[in-house]
């Protein structure tokens, strides 16, 4: 064999090896991310096409508007579960709150209202007159009790804890200026958060440990073994786990997408980190769990998409306004919002939430209460996240998912909305719930869109 022939053969062998390795990298992450999803009538490919072409562009435009970009949050709530709580010292963990001049006046004057200032004043006057007529003889203690009952009724409908927007600790944050990305927050502190969520709040037997969990002893289960216990659960508990797993997957995609690739005196370069994505989703590197996490992301997408389709009558109601004080922009944004919701409603293969909490009424009610309390607990765990930026986006996304669940299981109240044109609907969403609902779905939508980029990057990877 001549030297020229040998070199040519070596090039061919290297080329074949690289192609095989590159193909296997994409295969190991996406081998199961195809076809029909469990407990659903939909498939991955339909969701990809619908999200990337129909939903994603309009949703990003909506989320860039003033109503949705400013989120009021309390990042100083104490951790309710453990006392050895510290703060992340990394500079990328910091959150920059808004100054008073940066927040639109309409939001500051009506943090939980939707209509214009004049109608707000009328509503408050009418309420005062009614309370005065009915409650003029009530003691201060009784009035306080009535307020507590009303607060309890509001919270009983919710699947998550909301921050008190009137608290002096609550501040507006511009989400566009504080994007979700990799901050360097990892290790035992970060694992303790997810360990608490999965090991104590996912209806999972304590004897079953997650793969690659450094805080738990290795039970010897591989990925498929780990998922065997899930098959024996009722559909509601399976759904709960898949929602949490899907949320975790989405967050990991965001961190891999906006990763600090280079830092120097002149600029910071953020971009896709393929190696980080593989560490979180490669079948071999996650003991078989990674591709399942991605499938759970699609399940989460279907749940939140279904909630948007069901809430359409609420936002179509004439009393609802995306009020920021900028009349023209507010009207345009409401049109865009309704257009987006009509598109969401047109999706042909929606998740059927009536399959949940069906059967024996007493058992279903107990299960629903357990479901709600457990998710509330997870939303409280977000106050234990040491990284403020991670806490910001963790709170927003859990609140958004909790709001979606509230919508799915408030069917009767929502169906009655079109018949209440002269009165305020009994079903209400606070502005915090609305902003978190759409931004949380925006995060899921972005994750689905980014998977297309990672498929391409992995396919072209040279190993």
């Amino acid at each position: 064999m001549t030297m020229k022939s040998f070199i040519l053969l070596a090039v061919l062998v290297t080329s074949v090896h690289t192609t095989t390795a590159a193909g296997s990298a994409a295969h190991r992450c996406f081998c199961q991310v195809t076809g029909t999803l469990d407990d659903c009538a939909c498939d991955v490919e339909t969701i990809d096409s619908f999200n990337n072409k129909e939903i994603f562009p309009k949703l990003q435009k909506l989320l860039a508007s003033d109503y949705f970009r400013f989120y009021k949050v309390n990042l100083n709530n104490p951790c309710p579960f453990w006392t050895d709580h510290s703060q992340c010292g990394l500079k990328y963990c910091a959150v920059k709150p808004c100054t008073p001049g940066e927040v639109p006046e309409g939001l500051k004057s009506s943090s939980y209202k939707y209509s214009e200032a004049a109608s707000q004043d009328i509503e408050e006057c009418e309420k005062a007159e009614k309370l005065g007529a009915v409650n003029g003889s009530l003691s201060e203690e009784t009035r306080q009790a009535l307020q507590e009952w009303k607060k309890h009724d509001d919270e009983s409908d919710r699947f998550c804890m909301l921050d008190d927007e009137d608290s002096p600790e609550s501040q507006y944050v511009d989400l566009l200026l504080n994007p979700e990305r990799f901050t360097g927050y990892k290790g035992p502190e970060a694992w303790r958060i997810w360990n608490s969520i999965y090991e104590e709040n996912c209806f999972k037997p304590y004897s079953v440990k997650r793969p690659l969990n450094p805080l738990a002893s290795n039970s010897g289960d591989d990925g498929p073994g780990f998922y065997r216990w899930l098959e024996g659960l009722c559909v509601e508990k399976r759904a709960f786990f898949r929602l949490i797993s899907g949320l975790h997957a989405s967050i990991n995609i965001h961190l891999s997408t906006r990763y600090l690739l280079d830092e120097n005196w002149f600029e910071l370069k953020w971009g896709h980190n393929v190696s980080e994505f593989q560490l979180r989703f490669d079948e071999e590197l996650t003991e078989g769990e990674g591709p399942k996490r991605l499938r759970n992301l699609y399940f989460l997408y279907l749940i939140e998409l279904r909630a948007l389709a069901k809430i359409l009558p609420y936002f179509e109601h004439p009393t609802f306004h995306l009020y920021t004080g900028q009349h023209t922009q507010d009207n345009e944004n409401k049109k865009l919002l309704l257009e987006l919701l009509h598109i969401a409603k047109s999706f042909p293969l929606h998740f059927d939430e009536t399959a949940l909490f069906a059967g024996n009424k007493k058992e279903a009610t107990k299960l629903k209460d357990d479901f709600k309390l457990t998710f509330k607990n997870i939303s409280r765990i977000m106050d234990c996240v040491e990284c403020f930026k991670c806490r910001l986006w963790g709170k927003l996304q859990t609140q958004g998912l909790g709001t979606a669940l509230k919508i799915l299981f408030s069917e009767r109240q929502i169906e009655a909305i079109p018949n209440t044109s002269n009165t305020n609907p009994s079903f209400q969403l606070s502005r915090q719930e609305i902003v978190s609902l759409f931004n949380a779905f925006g995060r899921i939508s972005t994750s689905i869109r980014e998977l297309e980029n990672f498929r391409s990057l992995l396919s072209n990877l040279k190993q």
Side-chain angles (χ1 to χ4, degrees):
M1 179 183 292
T2 64
M3 180 60 67
K4 183 176 181 181
S5 299
F6 180 81
I7 293 174
L8 179 60
L9 179 60
V11 170
L12 289 173
V13 170
T14 303
S15 176
V16 170
H17 174 74
T18 301
T19 302
T20 303
S24 63
H27 176 77
R28 289 196 305 269
C29 292
F30 294 99
C31 56
Q32 300 176 41
V33 190
T34 184
T36 304
L37 296 167
D38 298 333
D39 297 322
C40 302
C42 190
D43 59 87
V44 168
E45 291 76 13
T46 299
I47 296 173
D48 279 335
S49 177
F50 183 78
N51 175 74
N52 297 349
K53 296 177 182 178
E54 304 293 336
I55 292 290
F56 180 78
K58 289 184 172 58
L59 182 56
Q60 293 305 304
K61 182 178 179 181
L62 183 70
L63 296 181
S65 67
D66 284 353
Y67 187 90
F68 290 99
R69 68 184 291 183
F70 293 103
Y71 176 60
K72 199 170 189 182
V73 61
N74 185 352
L75 296 177
N76 296 311
N77 283 332
C79 173
F81 298 109
W82 48 80
T83 56
D84 56 330
H85 186 64
S86 60
Q87 295 181 3
C88 176
L90 300 170
K91 60 182 177 180
Y92 300 115
C93 285
V95 171
K96 181 183 177 182
C98 298
T99 63
E102 292 174 325
V103 182
E105 287 298 323
L107 297 183
K108 289 188 290 186
S109 63
S110 57
S111 61
Y112 55 91
K113 303 289 183 181
Y114 320 127
S115 56
E116 297 183 6
S119 62
Q120 290 173 13
D121 293 339
I122 292 173
E123 287 176 14
E124 293 302 319
C125 289
E126 290 176 347
K127 288 179 182 178
E129 290 175 0
K130 290 178 181 178
L131 287 173
V134 177
N135 298 328
S137 61
L138 296 181
S139 66
E140 184 60 33
E141 291 79 6
T142 303
R143 290 181 182 178
Q144 181 65 31
L146 288 172
Q147 291 178 354
E148 291 297 323
W149 291 340
K150 176 63 168 62
K151 180 180 179 182
H152 173 76
D153 289 341
D154 290 342
E155 291 182 352
S156 66
D157 292 333
R158 294 184 179 131
F159 282 75
C160 64
M161 304 300 294
L162 297 180
D163 288 339
D164 180 5
E165 293 189 87
D166 294 325
S167 167
E169 294 284 347
S170 294
Q171 295 179 295
Y172 278 101
V173 173
D174 187 336
L175 297 174
L176 297 185
L177 297 182
N178 293 274
E180 184 180 23
R181 59 192 179 192
F182 187 79
T183 63
Y185 175 62
K186 56 184 178 180
E189 292 80 10
W191 268 101
R192 178 161 63 169
I193 299 297
W194 288 111
N195 189 66
S196 179
I197 291 173
Y198 282 111
E199 300 299 328
E200 301 170 18
N201 293 281
C202 271
F203 302 106
K204 183 182 70 60
Y206 286 102
S207 60
V208 179
K209 302 301 180 183
R210 287 188 302 139
L212 302 183
N213 184 347
L215 299 185
S217 60
N218 189 354
S219 64
D221 282 334
D222 58 7
F226 169 71
Y227 272 83
R228 287 193 194 105
W229 67 269
L230 196 61
E231 298 170 2
L233 293 182
C234 63
V235 63
E236 293 83 2
K237 293 182 179 181
R238 287 202 306 271
F240 190 97
F241 177 85
R242 288 185 177 127
L243 290 176
I244 300 304
S245 175
L247 178 60
H248 194 182
S250 180
I251 291 172
N252 281 333
I253 292 170
H254 305 152
L255 304 186
S256 302
T257 300
R258 287 193 159 189
Y259 198 94
L260 183 58
L261 302 176
D262 187 30
E263 179 179 12
N264 55 54
W265 288 103
F266 304 103
E267 64 175 350
L268 300 176
K269 183 180 179 182
W270 302 85
H272 295 79
N273 187 322
V274 177
S275 297
E276 190 71 23
F277 182 87
Q278 287 182 276
L279 284 173
R280 299 168 188 269
F281 298 108
D282 189 296
E283 185 178 36
E284 292 182 3
L285 300 178
T286 59
E287 298 185 12
E289 190 180 0
K292 293 182 175 67
R293 295 171 183 167
L294 295 179
R295 286 181 64 85
N296 291 334
L297 167 68
Y298 284 86
F299 180 79
L300 172 62
Y301 182 91
L302 286 178
I303 292 291
E304 297 203 8
L305 181 70
R306 178 60 173 158
L308 294 189
K310 292 198 71 172
I311 198 59
L312 176 59
Y314 179 80
F315 291 110
E316 284 184 320
H317 198 271
T319 62
F320 180 84
H321 300 272
L322 292 176
Y323 183 68
T324 67
Q326 304 167 85
H327 184 72
T328 301
Q329 185 185 91
D330 292 345
N331 287 338
E332 291 177 353
N333 287 333
K334 182 171 182 179
K335 290 178 182 178
L336 178 59
L337 172 67
L338 294 180
E339 183 181 353
L340 177 68
L341 294 180
H342 277 286
I343 292 174
K345 188 176 181 179
S346 73
F347 186 69
L349 297 169
H350 273 295
F351 178 80
D352 181 12
E353 72 282 359
T354 60
L356 302 179
F357 308 113
N360 182 279
K361 187 174 181 181
K362 185 176 180 180
E363 293 179 0
T365 300
K366 172 65 167 59
L367 182 59
K368 184 176 180 180
D369 289 341
D370 290 344
F371 196 101
K372 187 181 298 184
L373 288 173
T374 304
F375 195 83
K376 279 186 176 180
N377 215 37
I378 290 176
S379 70
R380 295 175 69 203
I381 292 174
M382 293 301 107
D383 283 321
C384 299
V385 178
E386 289 93 339
C387 169
F388 279 143
K389 185 165 289 183
C390 306
R391 184 186 300 192
L392 165 67
W393 286 99
K395 287 168 75 76
L396 182 144
Q397 289 174 83
T398 52
Q399 287 176 2
L401 177 53
T403 303
L405 294 173
K406 171 183 173 179
I407 293 167
L408 288 183
F409 302 111
S410 301
E411 185 173 9
R412 291 183 179 179
Q413 297 96 310
I414 295 173
E415 287 179 346
I417 288 175
N419 300 321
T420 57
S421 58
N422 295 323
T423 60
N424 287 325
S426 59
F427 178 86
Q428 290 287 347
L429 293 175
S430 69
R431 182 177 174 273
Q432 188 178 165
E433 288 175 306
I434 294 170
V435 172
S436 64
L437 172 68
F438 284 91
N439 273 282
F441 185 63
R443 296 281 75 206
I444 307 303
S445 174
T446 299
S447 294
I448 298 289
R449 177 66 181 83
E450 287 295 344
L451 287 185
E452 184 176 297
N453 292 328
F454 278 110
R455 282 180 189 267
S456 177
L457 290 169
L458 284 167
S459 295
N460 295 323
L461 186 64
K462 295 183 178 181
Q463 302 183 13

